[in-house]
Amino acid sequence: RQDPSLDTWPRGELETVRFHPYSVHLGAALAADASPGDRAAGYAGALRHAVAHAYSGWKAEELRAPLSAALARGPWRACVVQAGVNDVVGGAAAERTLPHVLALYEACDRAGVPVVVVPNTDADLVHHGMCADGVSARRELGELARLLSDAAGEKGRAVARAREEMPMEQSHSYLWDDCVHYSAAGAAVMAEVVYRTMCDHDL
């Protein structure tokens, strides 16, 4: 069974911007767990085990329909959800964004698919050209991560603590390509965090 990952990586822009989707690394780890044959299957094997649905610029509420459609194409062993950054970048407060992200988890519940919650990692939104007030937006992003973690804890959901393991600071600058996006090394770390979370919760 496969594992669809719903995150905010852009689709179709790899030729112009350096994006490093962590789903490839996650798929490789899941493939290695599946069978000796998949261990040798490389990239193709990885893609059989982690399918990424990425929507550049989409807000959480807009993701409900495509997520529901993807869930209907199961069965899936789990769904990794990282959403809400675009809402905050667009000026929405954490409290306003929260119910829209929670609705994505609830869609997974209705489909009988376990959720792996990925609270948003940090982002230096002061230097993000789309933020009118980068300082406030970064604060709201941190608040959203806290709210999502708390809500997931109340429901007993699996939570990938990537924010703690990928701080946006000088000592971890190698994990980041810019003020928002992970480097190749960062994508590998993100995948490892999600993979460990899945293992810890028997997903």
Side-chain angles (χ1 to χ4, degrees):
R1 293 193 298 172
Q2 295 173 314
D3 173 56
S5 172
L6 181 67
D7 57 29
T8 54
W9 291 115
R11 175 184 296 165
E13 299 180 12
L14 297 180
E15 296 301 317
T16 57
V17 185
R18 297 172 299 165
F19 290 111
H20 305 281
Y22 66 86
S23 56
V24 175
H25 299 281
L26 177 59
L30 295 170
D33 275 351
S35 69
D38 269 339
R39 290 191 184 96
Y43 185 74
L47 293 182
R48 286 202 302 275
H49 290 269
V51 178
H53 293 261
Y55 298 87
S56 178
W58 288 39
K59 297 179 180 178
E61 186 175 21
E62 298 170 319
L63 295 172
R64 290 173 63 184
L67 173 60
S68 296
L71 290 167
R73 294 192 293 268
W76 306 104
R77 65 189 284 175
C79 181
V80 182
V81 179
Q82 183 182 18
V85 170
N86 292 321
D87 299 68
V88 173
V89 167
E95 289 280 359
R96 179 181 170 189
T97 303
L98 178 65
H100 299 307
V101 181
L102 296 182
L104 302 177
Y105 306 161
E106 291 160 3
C108 295
D109 293 340
R110 289 192 295 273
V113 179
V115 181
V116 179
V117 174
V118 184
N120 303 106
T121 46
D122 196 8
D124 183 9
L125 298 180
V126 174
H127 296 99
H128 194 297
M130 295 177 66
C131 288
D133 183 349
V135 173
S136 295
R138 189 173 189 178
R139 183 170 57 248
E140 290 298 322
L141 192 62
E143 176 66 4
L144 176 62
R146 185 190 67 78
L147 292 172
L148 291 173
S149 295
D150 290 350
E154 292 173 3
K155 292 283 189 177
R157 302 190 192 279
V159 181
R161 304 290 180 183
R163 189 178 183 88
E164 290 82 357
E165 298 199 32
M166 299 180 64
M168 183 167 275
E169 55 189 31
Q170 188 60 38
S171 61
H172 290 77
S173 61
Y174 65 96
L175 298 176
W176 303 90
D177 264 353
D178 55 30
C179 65
V180 176
H181 300 107
Y182 312 136
S183 66
V189 170
M190 170 63 85
E192 174 62 22
V193 173
V194 173
Y195 174 69
R196 289 200 316 264
T197 303
M198 294 181 70
C199 291
D200 290 346
H201 290 80
D202 296 320
L203 297 177

